[in-house]
């Protein structure tokens, strides 16, 4: 579905992404983990079209993407969900307006029905379409952001830390929603997170990134069992298991 | 303002049943916040009164503002002539009422010219960035570098005196700060996620500018333009005072004050009355602008 070959991104003198190769097949969830500043969001931004200057090649659904300009069809194929649900919705548009914008841009008919269907799918009451974002909680806003991404019926959902701005209890809700949506609609996900637990919960394969390159790509089972090759991956995994008293302290 | 309890409850509930309901709710909340500020409310009242007087000038004025009667020249305020008469025997009250039209005409015309220019230049510069930004902002800088009244004077002198030329001259001096303001606001929204989201959905540049950026910049620009009204009125009065604005016999507050200057000691009302009118209206626009800032600016309150 998505193929990235030898991707390089440079901001000024800062070489952020140094030769990334990845292939995501249809229906797969591909996770990207790493600490802040390792370039994982930049990789996602390059695929999405947010980052406009990169070298290498990216193709989605067998069509090569160019760095500068994309066609409406290419944009429609993949939609992005942002980290901060407070910043990703226009503060002066009602939910209904936010959901109808993408339909208007792409000239899709039956807007009313599609908006109601989109709200149903993410588990929000239909009357929410008349509300403004400031009348919604963080979790509800993130559901709206997901609905907005899905309303164009994309094949690929690009998730940029979709839960890290939310409360822990809401995080699980959103993750399960994403999991259900993927099963129902056969979506392909690329998920970026610094949280190993979140990535492992959702992803089939997980790439660990450090200093702009992949140090290891491991299947989910290996991530859970700890059967990992690279010391940095092991370190991240250890860190995500939380605090455990060592034997010495226990004594 | 009396509202029936049922209507009030409908307006205050957040459980909207239609898009119109949501808008009515927003408008009602804004109105509640605005009407709880007595100064702003006073400002609005004066501005509305000014607009009414200007619209109904033929009925509000008692005498013909152009009718001269030398036998009644320079009479002090009385029951017949509330604000006295001028050196040509014209009724000052009637001229003041008709002058409200001129004043409002200039203020509105300047605002209508300046608003769109400021929006287009500021939003384009801020959103596109790069060399477009550099060129547009340097042009703005050049206009900012001129002292505004002197520039307006020069334009009025070059184009010839008259209201339309005064409007053009004032508009030329007032748009740069508006463009700057819009650019600064645009820069803060340009990288925000909801604009990027719209870009990734395929929204065109004009769509992003007019649907996303402009509505968000609008509150601060409306506030700015309302506050500007006062300085527009003052500049127009200043140009009128110097003989470069409205031409006699057209009633204009600045020109009226200027003509009365020769008789200041004998007939104080000739200068004082239009002067007080300018003061009250400028003050009202400033208070209204402050009140609007409280309800429109997202940085104040929720």
């Amino acid at each position: 579905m998505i193929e990235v070959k030898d991707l390089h991104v440079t901001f000024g003198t800062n070489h952020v992404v140094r030769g990334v190769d990845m292939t995501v097949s249809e229906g797969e969830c591909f996770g990207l983990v790493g600490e802040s500043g390792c370039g994982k969001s930049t990789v996602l931004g390059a695929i999405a079209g947010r980052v406009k200057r990169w070298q290498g090649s990216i193709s989605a659904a067998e069509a090569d993407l160019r760095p500068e300009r994309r066609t409406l069809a290419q944009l429609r194929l993949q939609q992005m969900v942002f980290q901060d649900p407070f910043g990703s919705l226009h503060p002066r548009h009602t939910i209904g307006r936010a959901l109808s914008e993408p339909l208007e841009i792409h000239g899709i008919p039956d807007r009313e029905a599609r908006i109601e269907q989109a709200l149903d799918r993410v588990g929000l009451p239909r009357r929410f379409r008349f509300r403004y974002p400031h009348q919604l909680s963080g979790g509800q806003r993130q559901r709206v952001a997901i609905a907005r991404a899905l309303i164009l019926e994309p094949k690929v959902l690009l998730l940029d830390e979709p839960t890290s701005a939310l409360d822990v209890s809401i995080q699980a809700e959103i993750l399960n929603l994403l999991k259900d949506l993927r099963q129902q609609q056969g979506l392909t996900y690329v998920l970026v997170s610094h949280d190993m637990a979140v990535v492992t919960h959702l992803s089939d394969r997980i790439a660990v990134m450090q200093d702009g390159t992949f140090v290891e790509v491991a299947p989910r089972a290996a991530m859970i069992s700890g059967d990992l090759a690279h010391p940095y991956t092991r370190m991240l995994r250890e860190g995500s298991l939380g605090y455990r008293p060592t034997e010495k302290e226990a004594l | 303002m009396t509202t029936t309890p049922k209507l009030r409850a409908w307006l205050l509930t957040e459980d909207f049943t239609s898009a119109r309901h949501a808008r009515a709710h927003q408008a009602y909340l804004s109105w509640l916040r605005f009407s709880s500020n007595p100064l702003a409310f006073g400002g609005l009242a004066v501005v509305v009164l000014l607009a009414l007087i200007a619209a109904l000038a033929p009925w509000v004025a008692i005498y013909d503002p152009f009718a001269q009667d030398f036998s009644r020249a320079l009479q002090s305020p009385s029951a017949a002539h509330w604000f006295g008469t001028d050196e040509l025997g014209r009724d000052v009250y009637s001229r003041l009422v008709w002058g409200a039209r001129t004043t409002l005409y200039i203020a509105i015309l300047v605002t209508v010219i300046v608003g769109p220019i400021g929006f287009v230049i500021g939003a384009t510069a801020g959103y596109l960035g790069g060399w477009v930004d550099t060129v547009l902002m340097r042009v703005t800088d050049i206009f900012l570098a001129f002292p505004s009244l002197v520039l307006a004077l020069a334009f009025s002198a070059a184009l010839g005196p008259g209201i339309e030329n005064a409007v053009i001259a004032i508009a030329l001096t007032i748009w740069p700060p508006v463009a700057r303001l819009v650019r600064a606001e645009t820069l803060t929204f340009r990288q925000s996620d909801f604009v990027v989201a719209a870009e990734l959905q395929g929204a065109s540049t004009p769509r992003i500018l007019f649907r996303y950026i402009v509505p968000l910049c609008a509150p601060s620009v409306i506030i700015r333009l309302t506050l500007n009204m006062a300085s527009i009125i003052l500049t127009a009065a200043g140009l009128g005072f110097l003989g470069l604005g409205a031409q006699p016999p057209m009633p204009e507050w600045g020109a009226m004050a200027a003509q009365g200057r020769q008789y200041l000691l004998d007939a104080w009302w000739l200068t004082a009355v239009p002067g007080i009118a300018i003061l009250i209206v400028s003050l009202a626009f400033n208070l209204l602008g402050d009140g609007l800032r409280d309800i429109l600016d997202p940085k104040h309150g929720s």
Side-chain angles (χ1 to χ4, degrees), chain A residues 48 50 87-88 90 92 101 104 106 127 130-132 148, chain B residues 14-19 22 193-194 201 207 211-212 296:
Chain A
R50 178 180 200 167
S88 65
H90 194 296
R92 295 193 176 242
E101 277 282 315
E104 282 175 35
H106 289 262
R127 58 174 200 282
F130 304 117
R131 294 202 178 188
Y132 286 91
R148 179 180 61 186
Chain B
E14 294 205 341
D15 214 359
F16 305 132
T17 50
S18 69
D193 283 348
F194 60 85
Q201 283 161 357
R207 189 184 188 91
R211 294 221 166 179
Y212 290 79
L296 290 178

PDB file of all heavy atoms in Angstrom, chain A residues 48 50 87-88 90 92 101 104 106 127 130-132 148, chain B residues 14-19 22 193-194 201 207 211-212 296:
ATOM      1  N   ALA A  48       2.314  12.005   4.465  1.00  0.00           N
ATOM      2  CA  ALA A  48       1.034  12.714   4.415  1.00  0.00           C
ATOM      3  C   ALA A  48       1.063  13.896   3.459  1.00  0.00           C
ATOM      4  O   ALA A  48       0.029  14.279   2.934  1.00  0.00           O
ATOM      5  CB  ALA A  48       0.667  13.205   5.818  1.00  0.00           C
ATOM      6  N   ARG A  50       2.574  16.793   4.541  1.00  0.00           N
ATOM      7  CA  ARG A  50       2.748  17.956   5.395  1.00  0.00           C
ATOM      8  C   ARG A  50       4.173  18.491   5.260  1.00  0.00           C
ATOM      9  O   ARG A  50       4.386  19.700   5.171  1.00  0.00           O
ATOM     10  CB  ARG A  50       2.482  17.556   6.848  1.00  0.00           C
ATOM     11  CG  ARG A  50       2.686  18.681   7.801  1.00  0.00           C
ATOM     12  CD  ARG A  50       2.418  18.271   9.230  1.00  0.00           C
ATOM     13  NE  ARG A  50       2.171  19.464  10.013  1.00  0.00           N
ATOM     14  CZ  ARG A  50       1.668  19.478  11.230  1.00  0.00           C
ATOM     15  NH1 ARG A  50       1.333  18.366  11.809  1.00  0.00           N
ATOM     16  NH2 ARG A  50       1.476  20.595  11.858  1.00  0.00           N
ATOM     17  N   GLY A  87      -6.079  21.504  18.857  1.00  0.00           N
ATOM     18  CA  GLY A  87      -5.577  22.350  17.772  1.00  0.00           C
ATOM     19  C   GLY A  87      -6.007  21.897  16.399  1.00  0.00           C
ATOM     20  O   GLY A  87      -5.861  22.625  15.437  1.00  0.00           O
ATOM     21  N   SER A  88      -6.551  20.686  16.299  1.00  0.00           N
ATOM     22  CA  SER A  88      -6.781  20.164  14.956  1.00  0.00           C
ATOM     23  C   SER A  88      -8.187  20.446  14.435  1.00  0.00           C
ATOM     24  O   SER A  88      -8.503  20.111  13.309  1.00  0.00           O
ATOM     25  CB  SER A  88      -6.487  18.668  14.893  1.00  0.00           C
ATOM     26  OG  SER A  88      -7.384  17.970  15.704  1.00  0.00           O
ATOM     27  N   HIS A  90     -11.083  23.497  13.715  1.00  0.00           N
ATOM     28  CA  HIS A  90     -11.251  24.950  13.607  1.00  0.00           C
ATOM     29  C   HIS A  90     -12.160  25.437  14.739  1.00  0.00           C
ATOM     30  O   HIS A  90     -13.291  24.967  14.873  1.00  0.00           O
ATOM     31  CB  HIS A  90     -11.885  25.274  12.259  1.00  0.00           C
ATOM     32  CG  HIS A  90     -11.803  26.719  11.888  1.00  0.00           C
ATOM     33  ND1 HIS A  90     -12.426  27.696  12.616  1.00  0.00           N
ATOM     34  CD2 HIS A  90     -11.156  27.360  10.889  1.00  0.00           C
ATOM     35  CE1 HIS A  90     -12.172  28.877  12.068  1.00  0.00           C
ATOM     36  NE2 HIS A  90     -11.394  28.683  11.014  1.00  0.00           N
ATOM     37  N   ARG A  92     -13.963  27.949  15.229  1.00  0.00           N
ATOM     38  CA  ARG A  92     -15.216  28.637  14.919  1.00  0.00           C
ATOM     39  C   ARG A  92     -16.103  27.876  13.957  1.00  0.00           C
ATOM     40  O   ARG A  92     -17.067  28.417  13.456  1.00  0.00           O
ATOM     41  CB  ARG A  92     -14.923  30.025  14.378  1.00  0.00           C
ATOM     42  CG  ARG A  92     -14.284  30.811  15.470  1.00  0.00           C
ATOM     43  CD  ARG A  92     -14.193  32.252  15.227  1.00  0.00           C
ATOM     44  NE  ARG A  92     -13.635  32.830  16.411  1.00  0.00           N
ATOM     45  CZ  ARG A  92     -14.267  33.707  17.160  1.00  0.00           C
ATOM     46  NH1 ARG A  92     -15.445  34.113  16.838  1.00  0.00           N
ATOM     47  NH2 ARG A  92     -13.692  34.191  18.237  1.00  0.00           N
ATOM     48  N   GLU A 101     -16.683  20.151   5.291  1.00  0.00           N
ATOM     49  CA  GLU A 101     -15.605  20.780   4.508  1.00  0.00           C
ATOM     50  C   GLU A 101     -14.922  19.801   3.560  1.00  0.00           C
ATOM     51  O   GLU A 101     -14.841  20.078   2.357  1.00  0.00           O
ATOM     52  CB  GLU A 101     -14.569  21.421   5.441  1.00  0.00           C
ATOM     53  CG  GLU A 101     -14.930  22.795   5.914  1.00  0.00           C
ATOM     54  CD  GLU A 101     -14.695  23.871   4.870  1.00  0.00           C
ATOM     55  OE1 GLU A 101     -13.642  23.877   4.221  1.00  0.00           O
ATOM     56  OE2 GLU A 101     -15.597  24.690   4.694  1.00  0.00           O
ATOM     57  N   GLU A 104     -17.133  19.000   0.678  1.00  0.00           N
ATOM     58  CA  GLU A 104     -17.264  20.094  -0.282  1.00  0.00           C
ATOM     59  C   GLU A 104     -16.035  20.188  -1.172  1.00  0.00           C
ATOM     60  O   GLU A 104     -16.139  20.367  -2.382  1.00  0.00           O
ATOM     61  CB  GLU A 104     -17.453  21.421   0.458  1.00  0.00           C
ATOM     62  CG  GLU A 104     -18.853  21.618   0.984  1.00  0.00           C
ATOM     63  CD  GLU A 104     -18.970  22.890   1.805  1.00  0.00           C
ATOM     64  OE1 GLU A 104     -18.308  23.887   1.475  1.00  0.00           O
ATOM     65  OE2 GLU A 104     -19.719  22.876   2.798  1.00  0.00           O
ATOM     66  N   HIS A 106     -14.011  17.910  -2.086  1.00  0.00           N
ATOM     67  CA  HIS A 106     -13.930  16.828  -3.063  1.00  0.00           C
ATOM     68  C   HIS A 106     -15.209  16.671  -3.878  1.00  0.00           C
ATOM     69  O   HIS A 106     -15.309  15.755  -4.686  1.00  0.00           O
ATOM     70  CB  HIS A 106     -13.593  15.510  -2.348  1.00  0.00           C
ATOM     71  CG  HIS A 106     -12.186  15.475  -1.836  1.00  0.00           C
ATOM     72  ND1 HIS A 106     -11.166  14.866  -2.517  1.00  0.00           N
ATOM     73  CD2 HIS A 106     -11.632  16.021  -0.748  1.00  0.00           C
ATOM     74  CE1 HIS A 106     -10.042  15.026  -1.848  1.00  0.00           C
ATOM     75  NE2 HIS A 106     -10.299  15.720  -0.766  1.00  0.00           N
ATOM     76  N   ARG A 127     -26.634  14.744  17.294  1.00  0.00           N
ATOM     77  CA  ARG A 127     -26.917  16.151  17.557  1.00  0.00           C
ATOM     78  C   ARG A 127     -25.629  16.949  17.819  1.00  0.00           C
ATOM     79  O   ARG A 127     -25.642  18.163  17.823  1.00  0.00           O
ATOM     80  CB  ARG A 127     -27.882  16.294  18.724  1.00  0.00           C
ATOM     81  CG  ARG A 127     -27.413  15.671  19.999  1.00  0.00           C
ATOM     82  CD  ARG A 127     -28.370  15.991  21.149  1.00  0.00           C
ATOM     83  NE  ARG A 127     -27.704  15.800  22.413  1.00  0.00           N
ATOM     84  CZ  ARG A 127     -27.505  14.615  22.969  1.00  0.00           C
ATOM     85  NH1 ARG A 127     -27.947  13.536  22.380  1.00  0.00           N
ATOM     86  NH2 ARG A 127     -26.866  14.507  24.108  1.00  0.00           N
ATOM     87  N   PHE A 130     -24.063  20.124  15.652  1.00  0.00           N
ATOM     88  CA  PHE A 130     -24.333  21.548  15.775  1.00  0.00           C
ATOM     89  C   PHE A 130     -23.470  22.195  16.850  1.00  0.00           C
ATOM     90  O   PHE A 130     -23.570  23.379  17.093  1.00  0.00           O
ATOM     91  CB  PHE A 130     -25.812  21.776  16.093  1.00  0.00           C
ATOM     92  CG  PHE A 130     -26.720  21.152  15.084  1.00  0.00           C
ATOM     93  CD1 PHE A 130     -27.593  20.145  15.437  1.00  0.00           C
ATOM     94  CD2 PHE A 130     -26.670  21.562  13.759  1.00  0.00           C
ATOM     95  CE1 PHE A 130     -28.414  19.564  14.494  1.00  0.00           C
ATOM     96  CE2 PHE A 130     -27.486  20.982  12.814  1.00  0.00           C
ATOM     97  CZ  PHE A 130     -28.358  19.981  13.180  1.00  0.00           C
ATOM     98  N   ARG A 131     -22.640  21.405  17.504  1.00  0.00           N
ATOM     99  CA  ARG A 131     -21.814  21.973  18.576  1.00  0.00           C
ATOM    100  C   ARG A 131     -20.506  22.533  18.043  1.00  0.00           C
ATOM    101  O   ARG A 131     -20.056  22.162  16.973  1.00  0.00           O
ATOM    102  CB  ARG A 131     -21.508  20.895  19.607  1.00  0.00           C
ATOM    103  CG  ARG A 131     -22.744  20.445  20.325  1.00  0.00           C
ATOM    104  CD  ARG A 131     -22.374  19.828  21.635  1.00  0.00           C
ATOM    105  NE  ARG A 131     -23.587  19.447  22.342  1.00  0.00           N
ATOM    106  CZ  ARG A 131     -23.592  19.018  23.574  1.00  0.00           C
ATOM    107  NH1 ARG A 131     -22.463  18.907  24.241  1.00  0.00           N
ATOM    108  NH2 ARG A 131     -24.724  18.696  24.151  1.00  0.00           N
ATOM    109  N   TYR A 132     -19.917  23.374  18.868  1.00  0.00           N
ATOM    110  CA  TYR A 132     -18.586  23.894  18.557  1.00  0.00           C
ATOM    111  C   TYR A 132     -17.546  23.076  19.319  1.00  0.00           C
ATOM    112  O   TYR A 132     -17.848  22.514  20.373  1.00  0.00           O
ATOM    113  CB  TYR A 132     -18.492  25.366  18.963  1.00  0.00           C
ATOM    114  CG  TYR A 132     -19.256  26.268  18.026  1.00  0.00           C
ATOM    115  CD1 TYR A 132     -20.587  26.587  18.271  1.00  0.00           C
ATOM    116  CD2 TYR A 132     -18.656  26.776  16.880  1.00  0.00           C
ATOM    117  CE1 TYR A 132     -21.300  27.394  17.396  1.00  0.00           C
ATOM    118  CE2 TYR A 132     -19.361  27.577  16.007  1.00  0.00           C
ATOM    119  CZ  TYR A 132     -20.674  27.888  16.268  1.00  0.00           C
ATOM    120  OH  TYR A 132     -21.365  28.670  15.400  1.00  0.00           O
ATOM    121  N   ARG A 148     -13.596  13.074  10.765  1.00  0.00           N
ATOM    122  CA  ARG A 148     -13.255  13.951   9.646  1.00  0.00           C
ATOM    123  C   ARG A 148     -12.299  13.256   8.681  1.00  0.00           C
ATOM    124  O   ARG A 148     -12.400  13.406   7.471  1.00  0.00           O
ATOM    125  CB  ARG A 148     -12.611  15.233  10.178  1.00  0.00           C
ATOM    126  CG  ARG A 148     -12.208  16.179   9.070  1.00  0.00           C
ATOM    127  CD  ARG A 148     -11.576  17.422   9.607  1.00  0.00           C
ATOM    128  NE  ARG A 148     -10.374  17.111  10.340  1.00  0.00           N
ATOM    129  CZ  ARG A 148      -9.674  18.014  11.021  1.00  0.00           C
ATOM    130  NH1 ARG A 148     -10.075  19.251  11.072  1.00  0.00           N
ATOM    131  NH2 ARG A 148      -8.583  17.667  11.662  1.00  0.00           N
TER     132      ARG A 148
ATOM    133  N   GLU B  14     -27.089  23.894  25.604  1.00  0.00           N
ATOM    134  CA  GLU B  14     -26.030  23.540  24.663  1.00  0.00           C
ATOM    135  C   GLU B  14     -26.415  22.315  23.858  1.00  0.00           C
ATOM    136  O   GLU B  14     -25.629  21.807  23.081  1.00  0.00           O
ATOM    137  CB  GLU B  14     -24.721  23.290  25.414  1.00  0.00           C
ATOM    138  CG  GLU B  14     -24.192  24.550  26.061  1.00  0.00           C
ATOM    139  CD  GLU B  14     -22.707  24.512  26.281  1.00  0.00           C
ATOM    140  OE1 GLU B  14     -22.145  23.407  26.280  1.00  0.00           O
ATOM    141  OE2 GLU B  14     -22.115  25.583  26.452  1.00  0.00           O
ATOM    142  N   ASP B  15     -27.657  21.860  24.066  1.00  0.00           N
ATOM    143  CA  ASP B  15     -28.109  20.674  23.347  1.00  0.00           C
ATOM    144  C   ASP B  15     -28.823  21.123  22.073  1.00  0.00           C
ATOM    145  O   ASP B  15     -30.041  21.177  22.013  1.00  0.00           O
ATOM    146  CB  ASP B  15     -29.079  19.906  24.263  1.00  0.00           C
ATOM    147  CG  ASP B  15     -28.936  18.416  24.045  1.00  0.00           C
ATOM    148  OD1 ASP B  15     -28.126  18.031  23.195  1.00  0.00           O
ATOM    149  OD2 ASP B  15     -29.644  17.662  24.729  1.00  0.00           O
ATOM    150  N   PHE B  16     -28.022  21.465  21.058  1.00  0.00           N
ATOM    151  CA  PHE B  16     -28.592  22.123  19.887  1.00  0.00           C
ATOM    152  C   PHE B  16     -29.389  21.161  19.024  1.00  0.00           C
ATOM    153  O   PHE B  16     -29.062  19.993  18.920  1.00  0.00           O
ATOM    154  CB  PHE B  16     -27.483  22.733  19.034  1.00  0.00           C
ATOM    155  CG  PHE B  16     -26.610  23.658  19.803  1.00  0.00           C
ATOM    156  CD1 PHE B  16     -25.240  23.559  19.711  1.00  0.00           C
ATOM    157  CD2 PHE B  16     -27.161  24.621  20.622  1.00  0.00           C
ATOM    158  CE1 PHE B  16     -24.439  24.412  20.419  1.00  0.00           C
ATOM    159  CE2 PHE B  16     -26.351  25.476  21.329  1.00  0.00           C
ATOM    160  CZ  PHE B  16     -24.985  25.370  21.233  1.00  0.00           C
ATOM    161  N   THR B  17     -30.423  21.696  18.408  1.00  0.00           N
ATOM    162  CA  THR B  17     -31.223  20.879  17.499  1.00  0.00           C
ATOM    163  C   THR B  17     -31.024  21.281  16.050  1.00  0.00           C
ATOM    164  O   THR B  17     -31.436  20.576  15.151  1.00  0.00           O
ATOM    165  CB  THR B  17     -32.709  20.996  17.850  1.00  0.00           C
ATOM    166  OG1 THR B  17     -33.016  22.387  17.964  1.00  0.00           O
ATOM    167  CG2 THR B  17     -33.012  20.308  19.164  1.00  0.00           C
ATOM    168  N   SER B  18     -30.411  22.428  15.804  1.00  0.00           N
ATOM    169  CA  SER B  18     -30.167  22.832  14.422  1.00  0.00           C
ATOM    170  C   SER B  18     -28.990  23.799  14.385  1.00  0.00           C
ATOM    171  O   SER B  18     -28.563  24.317  15.416  1.00  0.00           O
ATOM    172  CB  SER B  18     -31.402  23.512  13.832  1.00  0.00           C
ATOM    173  OG  SER B  18     -31.571  24.766  14.465  1.00  0.00           O
ATOM    174  N   ALA B  19     -28.474  24.048  13.193  1.00  0.00           N
ATOM    175  CA  ALA B  19     -27.353  24.972  13.048  1.00  0.00           C
ATOM    176  C   ALA B  19     -27.773  26.384  13.454  1.00  0.00           C
ATOM    177  O   ALA B  19     -26.994  27.125  14.048  1.00  0.00           O
ATOM    178  CB  ALA B  19     -26.867  24.962  11.603  1.00  0.00           C
ATOM    179  N   ALA B  22     -27.613  26.749  17.161  1.00  0.00           N
ATOM    180  CA  ALA B  22     -26.238  26.925  17.637  1.00  0.00           C
ATOM    181  C   ALA B  22     -25.787  28.370  17.460  1.00  0.00           C
ATOM    182  O   ALA B  22     -25.168  28.966  18.341  1.00  0.00           O
ATOM    183  CB  ALA B  22     -25.296  25.985  16.873  1.00  0.00           C
ATOM    184  N   ASP B 193      -2.753  22.980  13.399  1.00  0.00           N
ATOM    185  CA  ASP B 193      -3.124  21.672  12.852  1.00  0.00           C
ATOM    186  C   ASP B 193      -4.374  21.735  11.985  1.00  0.00           C
ATOM    187  O   ASP B 193      -4.479  21.017  11.002  1.00  0.00           O
ATOM    188  CB  ASP B 193      -3.335  20.678  14.004  1.00  0.00           C
ATOM    189  CG  ASP B 193      -2.018  20.188  14.569  1.00  0.00           C
ATOM    190  OD1 ASP B 193      -0.987  20.432  13.923  1.00  0.00           O
ATOM    191  OD2 ASP B 193      -2.023  19.563  15.648  1.00  0.00           O
ATOM    192  N   PHE B 194      -5.341  22.604  12.355  1.00  0.00           N
ATOM    193  CA  PHE B 194      -6.571  22.562  11.561  1.00  0.00           C
ATOM    194  C   PHE B 194      -6.365  23.134  10.166  1.00  0.00           C
ATOM    195  O   PHE B 194      -7.045  22.725   9.228  1.00  0.00           O
ATOM    196  CB  PHE B 194      -7.749  23.231  12.285  1.00  0.00           C
ATOM    197  CG  PHE B 194      -7.571  24.683  12.619  1.00  0.00           C
ATOM    198  CD1 PHE B 194      -7.866  25.651  11.705  1.00  0.00           C
ATOM    199  CD2 PHE B 194      -7.113  25.049  13.872  1.00  0.00           C
ATOM    200  CE1 PHE B 194      -7.713  26.982  12.026  1.00  0.00           C
ATOM    201  CE2 PHE B 194      -6.957  26.369  14.199  1.00  0.00           C
ATOM    202  CZ  PHE B 194      -7.254  27.347  13.261  1.00  0.00           C
ATOM    203  N   GLN B 201      -6.530  17.784   3.176  1.00  0.00           N
ATOM    204  CA  GLN B 201      -7.779  17.354   2.545  1.00  0.00           C
ATOM    205  C   GLN B 201      -7.883  17.893   1.137  1.00  0.00           C
ATOM    206  O   GLN B 201      -8.793  17.535   0.402  1.00  0.00           O
ATOM    207  CB  GLN B 201      -8.970  17.855   3.353  1.00  0.00           C
ATOM    208  CG  GLN B 201      -9.211  17.049   4.605  1.00  0.00           C
ATOM    209  CD  GLN B 201     -10.049  17.806   5.595  1.00  0.00           C
ATOM    210  OE1 GLN B 201     -10.409  18.954   5.377  1.00  0.00           O
ATOM    211  NE2 GLN B 201     -10.351  17.176   6.703  1.00  0.00           N
ATOM    212  N   ARG B 207      -9.457  29.053  -0.567  1.00  0.00           N
ATOM    213  CA  ARG B 207     -10.390  28.476   0.394  1.00  0.00           C
ATOM    214  C   ARG B 207      -9.832  28.575   1.814  1.00  0.00           C
ATOM    215  O   ARG B 207     -10.544  28.947   2.745  1.00  0.00           O
ATOM    216  CB  ARG B 207     -10.637  27.010   0.027  1.00  0.00           C
ATOM    217  CG  ARG B 207     -11.751  26.389   0.835  1.00  0.00           C
ATOM    218  CD  ARG B 207     -11.919  24.918   0.532  1.00  0.00           C
ATOM    219  NE  ARG B 207     -13.110  24.435   1.186  1.00  0.00           N
ATOM    220  CZ  ARG B 207     -14.304  24.419   0.616  1.00  0.00           C
ATOM    221  NH1 ARG B 207     -14.452  24.846  -0.611  1.00  0.00           N
ATOM    222  NH2 ARG B 207     -15.348  23.984   1.282  1.00  0.00           N
ATOM    223  N   ARG B 211     -11.857  30.865   4.262  1.00  0.00           N
ATOM    224  CA  ARG B 211     -12.688  30.087   5.174  1.00  0.00           C
ATOM    225  C   ARG B 211     -12.016  29.825   6.507  1.00  0.00           C
ATOM    226  O   ARG B 211     -12.688  29.563   7.495  1.00  0.00           O
ATOM    227  CB  ARG B 211     -13.026  28.752   4.549  1.00  0.00           C
ATOM    228  CG  ARG B 211     -13.896  28.915   3.356  1.00  0.00           C
ATOM    229  CD  ARG B 211     -14.920  27.851   3.407  1.00  0.00           C
ATOM    230  NE  ARG B 211     -15.970  28.129   2.480  1.00  0.00           N
ATOM    231  CZ  ARG B 211     -17.010  27.314   2.316  1.00  0.00           C
ATOM    232  NH1 ARG B 211     -17.084  26.215   3.021  1.00  0.00           N
ATOM    233  NH2 ARG B 211     -17.941  27.620   1.477  1.00  0.00           N
ATOM    234  N   TYR B 212     -10.700  29.815   6.526  1.00  0.00           N
ATOM    235  CA  TYR B 212     -10.010  29.455   7.762  1.00  0.00           C
ATOM    236  C   TYR B 212      -9.305  30.650   8.388  1.00  0.00           C
ATOM    237  O   TYR B 212      -9.452  30.910   9.570  1.00  0.00           O
ATOM    238  CB  TYR B 212      -8.997  28.328   7.496  1.00  0.00           C
ATOM    239  CG  TYR B 212      -9.675  27.023   7.189  1.00  0.00           C
ATOM    240  CD1 TYR B 212     -10.202  26.771   5.939  1.00  0.00           C
ATOM    241  CD2 TYR B 212      -9.819  26.055   8.172  1.00  0.00           C
ATOM    242  CE1 TYR B 212     -10.855  25.582   5.670  1.00  0.00           C
ATOM    243  CE2 TYR B 212     -10.463  24.859   7.917  1.00  0.00           C
ATOM    244  CZ  TYR B 212     -10.978  24.631   6.664  1.00  0.00           C
ATOM    245  OH  TYR B 212     -11.631  23.455   6.405  1.00  0.00           O
ATOM    246  N   LEU B 296     -15.410  39.487  21.305  1.00  0.00           N
ATOM    247  CA  LEU B 296     -14.968  38.822  20.072  1.00  0.00           C
ATOM    248  C   LEU B 296     -13.598  38.172  20.197  1.00  0.00           C
ATOM    249  O   LEU B 296     -13.322  37.165  19.562  1.00  0.00           O
ATOM    250  CB  LEU B 296     -14.918  39.823  18.910  1.00  0.00           C
ATOM    251  CG  LEU B 296     -16.247  40.322  18.394  1.00  0.00           C
ATOM    252  CD1 LEU B 296     -16.032  41.329  17.292  1.00  0.00           C
ATOM    253  CD2 LEU B 296     -17.084  39.176  17.877  1.00  0.00           C
TER     254      LEU B 296
END
